Amino acid sequence: MQIDTTPNQSSYDVVIIGGAMMGASVAWFLANHPGFDGSVLVVERDPGYELSSTAHSNSCIRQQFTQPINVQVSQFGADYLRNFRQYMGGDPDVPDLHMQSFGYLYLAATAEGEQVLRAAQAMQAAEGAGTQILTSEMLAEKFPFYNLDGIRVGSHNPVDEGYFDGGSMFDWWRRKAKSAGVEFIRNEVTGISRAAGHITGVVLADGSRVGAGHVVNAAGPRAGLVAQMAGVSLPVEPRKRYTFVFEAARPLAVDLPLTVDPSGVHVRSDGKYYMAGCPPHEDPAVAPDDFIADHSLWEEKVWPAIAERIPQFDALKLMQSWVGHYAYNTLDQNAILGPHPEVGNFMLINGFSGHGLQQSPAMGRGLAEWIVSGCYETLDLSPFAYDRIAAGQPLLEQAII
């Protein structure tokens, strides 16, 4: 499909930098907000989204977080997925979104790890999540295929946890936003104009300037670079994360929960195959276009961990693998959302550190509400405000994989 490279107008009420999942979410929720009748431009440098975090996502959702606000965000996300057609206006062409709810299973091998899981489970249960702590004996009875040597407890929640069709949600947000008048172009923002603590517009790759009432930084792993253009600092950097899809010679007779092993490797069912992931041996910031893979990771780290935890997986065939990027918040691995305190019309939706896809319904809705009314109208997302970054006071999320 042909995508324009030149905007139709010289200025817009909202310019969104980045058209992947977060940018599309903000665009749709703005277009759907009853109090908004302005113009929106989405500028995307890679409209095929081949290098985006969205394209490389494993498309999972969970409520097993260590911060209550993240549990609440995912609870709305699960409701949104279950009722996607209704949230999209009841259009019969909008599909029902498939969600496979086999749950996450976090395993703890140390007393400290057990304490973290027990504290998180108590908080999650207070928020209405179905998380349960399972002793090693309970784990052995429920999941007899695990080798539980050294495992003290597990934390499991099979309710509204698993993976979902994030691709369809992304596609329909863009479709509906376009039909509502949102303009998407293929171009790159190379500069941001600022005067007296206020963003006045953006500069595109061809040197043209576009005025803006609000500018939204939805640039994923490139968010730090975009923030620099606006003259502000953002602790968000690209970090590599690996995904491996494999076939088991002796597959399990039941779905495998997304198992988060103490080794740092996680693995789950993926149809007739299985999907595993992990960070690299070392985890530095990388260039946003660096997708070079360390092919030793599968043989040296991932396969041994999987075969150790699930002896039935002693014979595996790697089908495919890829490298994606987390937009990693180095302060606390949590989202940064809302206006920048020094540049009030520069809006942030950044730093999700691997859980952005599942949080995109609540985050896009919340930022759209703020742009329209200057506050969060539904779920209070103020814990994610930039203020904590400036103060160096982390809202630490410990359940990052």
Side-chain angles (χ1 to χ4, degrees):
M1 176 172 39
Q2 186 66 33
I3 301 175
D4 290 337
T5 59
T6 305
N8 291 325
Q9 302 174 196
S10 60
S11 66
Y12 294 80
D13 294 294
V14 181
V15 173
I16 301 173
I17 304 173
M21 187 62 90
M22 288 301 170
S25 177
V26 175
W28 159 245
F29 279 104
L30 271 175
N32 191 53
H33 194 291
F36 184 78
D37 60 358
S39 55
V40 180
L41 175 68
V42 179
V43 184
E44 171 54 48
R45 63 190 304 276
D46 171 30
Y49 303 101
E50 295 178 7
L51 302 181
S52 68
S53 295
T54 298
H56 293 125
S57 170
N58 294 172
S59 200
C60 295
I61 188 168
R62 58 186 162 102
Q63 295 177 38
Q64 291 191 69
F65 288 96
T66 59
Q67 291 291 341
I69 185 61
N70 282 329
V71 179
Q72 296 163 20
V73 164
S74 283
Q75 286 171 335
F76 171 69
D79 181 71
Y80 192 87
L81 296 175
R82 283 195 304 269
N83 300 286
F84 183 58
R85 183 181 294 129
Q86 286 68 35
Y87 276 110
M88 298 299 288
D91 184 344
D93 291 334
V94 174
D96 290 324
L97 293 185
H98 172 72
M99 187 164 84
Q100 173 64 274
S101 293
F102 46 50
Y104 276 57
L105 175 62
Y106 284 80
L107 299 175
T110 65
E112 180 183 7
E114 177 179 352
Q115 183 179 9
V116 169
L117 290 186
R118 288 190 180 277
Q121 185 276 335
M123 178 275 292
Q124 293 156 13
E127 293 292 336
T131 315
Q132 295 182 329
I133 294 294
L134 304 177
T135 64
S136 57
E137 293 78 15
M138 296 165 71
L139 286 167
E141 182 178 356
K142 190 175 183 66
F143 305 108
F145 47 80
Y146 288 124
N147 167 20
L148 296 170
D149 289 350
I151 296 299
R152 297 170 65 98
V153 298
S155 177
H156 185 232
N157 177 15
V159 181
D160 291 336
E161 289 196 351
Y163 69 91
F164 66 98
D165 184 1
S168 289
M169 184 168 73
F170 177 44
D171 180 52
W172 278 94
W173 277 346
R174 286 181 296 154
R175 288 194 198 190
K176 287 292 192 180
K178 288 178 182 178
S179 66
V182 173
E183 189 179 336
F184 288 74
I185 65 169
R186 176 179 185 168
N187 212 310
E188 184 173 2
V189 171
T190 57
I192 296 177
S193 303
R194 175 178 165 181
H198 190 80
I199 301 296
T200 58
V202 301
V203 181
L204 301 182
D206 60 4
S208 61
R209 296 178 178 272
V210 180
H214 288 84
V215 170
V216 176
N217 183 352
R222 294 176 178 266
L225 299 176
V226 170
Q228 288 176 13
M229 297 180 198
V232 301
S233 177
L234 199 64
V236 177
E237 60 189 33
R239 293 199 181 183
K240 290 182 182 180
R241 290 297 181 269
Y242 286 74
T243 298
F244 304 89
V245 178
F246 64 89
E247 183 178 24
R250 295 188 295 148
L252 302 175
V254 296
D255 285 329
L256 177 65
L258 196 153
T259 305
V260 184
D261 191 72
S263 66
V265 173
H266 57 90
V267 59
R268 66 166 171 88
S269 289
D270 188 44
K272 68 176 183 178
Y273 299 116
Y274 297 89
M275 180 178 284
C278 67
H281 294 299
E282 297 180 359
D283 194 20
V286 298
D289 57 354
D290 177 4
F291 293 92
I292 298 172
D294 177 357
H295 296 290
S296 71
L297 203 60
W298 170 254
E299 293 284 347
E300 295 179 3
K301 180 177 181 179
V302 180
W303 190 348
I306 292 171
E308 173 70 18
R309 187 60 58 211
I310 306 173
Q312 196 168 323
F313 284 176
D314 56 350
L316 307 178
K317 179 181 179 182
L318 182 63
M319 307 299 290
Q320 67 177 123
S321 63
W322 62 85
V323 178
H325 287 166
Y326 274 10
Y328 194 86
N329 178 352
T330 59
L331 177 70
D332 58 18
Q333 294 80 67
N334 248 325
I336 306 168
L337 189 76
H340 191 279
E342 297 176 3
V343 192
N345 65 334
F346 186 54
M347 311 301 293
L348 308 171
I349 184 165
N350 307 119
F352 290 89
S353 306
H355 46 279
L357 204 78
Q358 63 187 286
Q359 294 193 327
S360 57
M363 297 298 186
R365 180 185 67 170
L367 195 60
E369 291 170 351
W370 190 280
I371 291 170
V372 174
S373 62
C375 66
Y376 297 118
E377 301 165 347
T378 47
L379 180 60
D380 181 10
L381 299 173
S382 57
F384 297 117
Y386 183 91
D387 292 352
R388 77 185 195 278
I389 308 297
Q393 297 177 340
L395 179 72
L396 185 63
E397 180 50 62
Q398 295 173 277
I400 297 298
I401 61 175

